[in-house]
Amino acid sequence: MNEVQLFPEQASVFAGNVDQLFWFFMLVAGLAGTITALLVLAFAIRYRAGAQRYRHSPHHSLLLEIGWTMPVAVVVVALFAWGAKIFVSLYSVPDGATEIYVTGKQWMWKIQHPNGQREINELHVPVGEDVVLNLTSEDVIHSFFVPAFRTKRDAVPGRYNRMWFRATKTGEFHLFCTEYCGTDHSRMIGTVYVQTPQEHMEWLREGEDALVSLADRGGVVYTRYACGSCHAEEEGERGPGLENIYGKVRQLADGSQVVVDEDYLRESILYPNAKVALGYKPVMPTFKGQISQQNVNELVAYLKSLSPDRAKQASLGGTK
Ligand code: CUA
């Protein structure tokens, strides 16, 4: 890993496709550039000052016009279609992917695994399994980039961005922040460890006795902030019940609708009056500034665990 590499390793299901498209693009651009340069040279010689040839040259050639525009149009449309296909595969999160929360902060990556394992600037994932990262930020925009996976996505304050991948080889791979985010942006780097499923299970179990799952941590946060004193399933409560709401359409007081996803849950914790459920008054206090992003992630995981059937469809927020 120490020698200078022109190209990073191919270590995810996207890598081969992205590289093929890249090289095809290079080929097209190289051909177009070469042909143009040669024609410039040829015309410069043929029609140089003093040459007589241009006097009776034709003004227009339909065959020539069609002959050069059509092949170019076909190639450009093919490039678009090919790129769009890869783009869609990058952004369509498959069902059942393991969900990991990643929070960017000047200048580090904080990572929370579903079983409660946590790490900073390191990400351990199993090979051959789908993983989806719920990316967000505590301060400014960062961007999570693993060159060997050929995928990246911004970590934006105030929303979850979902990024998925399936690693295809074990090993250690560079992780970069690829959005300028201040003084130590260049040091906001880390390592992705792709492990065999067996190794990964063992890694996840390290310190098992002290581990509390993300959803259970969220339950503790829920109790600490006394969310349950208003949110209950009974009639006449001040807040709507929170069971089996994930993935469902919710009617709002202003007549619009919203699908309950990670972003809606997060927003409703930090900005409760942004989208008030139908039949309720905007009486919930904001928890912005009182609750850490890690706690919000835990609460969201807890609320999703209250909708066990829906939460399994991990791709809800990723494909809308
Ligand atoms: Cu974080 Cu650049």
Side-chain angles (χ1 to χ4, degrees):
M1 293 285 282
N2 285 327
E3 77 273 26
V4 175
Q5 286 177 300
L6 194 58
F7 250 68
E9 283 185 83
Q10 297 183 338
S12 84
V13 285
F14 312 125
N17 298 339
V18 172
D19 287 358
Q20 278 168 14
L21 178 62
F22 175 81
W23 287 118
F24 183 73
F25 199 94
M26 290 298 280
L27 181 73
V28 169
L31 276 176
T34 308
I35 290 171
T36 307
L38 289 177
L39 284 176
V40 166
L41 202 62
F43 291 157
I45 293 166
R46 189 177 161 97
Y47 298 108
R48 66 189 182 280
Q52 300 297 307
R53 295 179 204 265
Y54 56 85
R55 285 209 176 145
H56 303 293
S57 58
H59 288 274
H60 187 80
S61 166
L62 190 63
L63 194 68
L64 189 66
E65 292 291 347
I66 294 175
W68 84 262
T69 44
M70 287 315 286
V72 170
V74 167
V75 168
V76 170
V77 170
L79 271 172
F80 167 75
W82 191 352
K85 185 165 176 279
I86 294 175
F87 181 87
V88 168
S89 75
L90 283 169
Y91 286 90
S92 304
V93 181
D95 288 348
T98 303
E99 294 205 37
I100 299 173
Y101 284 83
V102 177
T103 306
K105 173 185 156 66
Q106 289 168 319
W107 287 275
M108 65 177 83
W109 295 105
K110 297 183 191 173
I111 290 157
Q112 297 166 288
H113 291 263
N115 80 332
Q117 200 67 261
R118 290 185 285 190
E119 48 189 335
I120 286 178
N121 293 342
E122 293 187 347
L123 172 64
H124 288 75
V125 292
V127 71
E129 290 177 24
D130 297 341
V131 171
V132 57
L133 307 178
N134 281 325
L135 289 163
T136 189
S137 168
E138 285 183 27
D139 35 48
V140 299
I141 299 179
H142 305 274
S143 189
F144 193 93
F145 181 33
V146 185
F149 293 171
R150 305 291 192 280
T151 186
K152 65 168 156 183
R153 194 118 202 238
D154 283 0
V156 180
R159 64 175 293 179
Y160 288 115
N161 271 345
R162 289 159 75 81
M163 162 180 159
W164 86 278
F165 56 82
R166 189 191 314 145
T168 50
K169 64 159 79 162
T170 56
E172 297 176 19
F173 304 101
H174 289 298
L175 153 64
F176 294 101
C177 177
T178 175
E179 182 75 56
Y180 181 67
C181 57
T183 313
D184 279 343
H185 158 71
S186 62
R187 292 195 197 160
M188 195 167 161
I189 54 178
T191 308
V192 178
Y193 296 89
V194 179
Q195 306 173 295
T196 65
Q198 177 64 30
E199 282 169 353
H200 188 64
M201 283 308 283
E202 282 165 19
W203 180 85
L204 279 177
R205 288 207 194 104
E206 275 172 25
E208 190 172 28
D209 297 341
L211 280 183
V212 180
S213 80
L214 204 59
D216 286 349
R217 285 176 190 275
V220 173
V221 176
Y222 187 87
T223 309
R224 192 195 314 149
Y225 288 91
C227 309
S229 62
C230 290
H231 289 282
E233 294 301 321
E234 289 104 57
E235 285 285 307
E237 283 292 344
R238 277 179 287 177
L242 300 173
E243 275 172 37
N244 290 312
I245 58 166
Y246 182 74
K248 289 197 179 148
V249 173
R250 166 159 282 188
Q251 301 293 334
L252 300 181
D254 66 4
S256 61
Q257 296 179 332
V258 64
V259 175
V260 179
D261 60 8
E262 290 84 355
D263 267 326
Y264 173 71
L265 295 172
R266 185 202 61 80
E267 184 185 55
S268 297
I269 296 165
L270 300 179
Y271 305 96
N273 297 335
K275 297 192 176 79
V276 178
L278 183 65
Y280 295 91
K281 294 201 171 66
V283 292
M284 177 170 159
T286 175
F287 286 86
K288 186 168 168 49
Q290 302 177 37
I291 181 167
S292 71
Q293 182 59 50
Q294 273 70 44
N295 282 169
V296 172
N297 294 344
E298 290 158 0
L299 259 182
V300 168
Y302 170 69
L303 294 174
K304 286 171 71 175
S305 76
L306 299 180
S307 309
D309 298 336
R310 291 301 190 135
K312 273 189 212 134
Q313 298 171 12
S315 62
L316 271 169
T319 51
K320 68 181 177 211

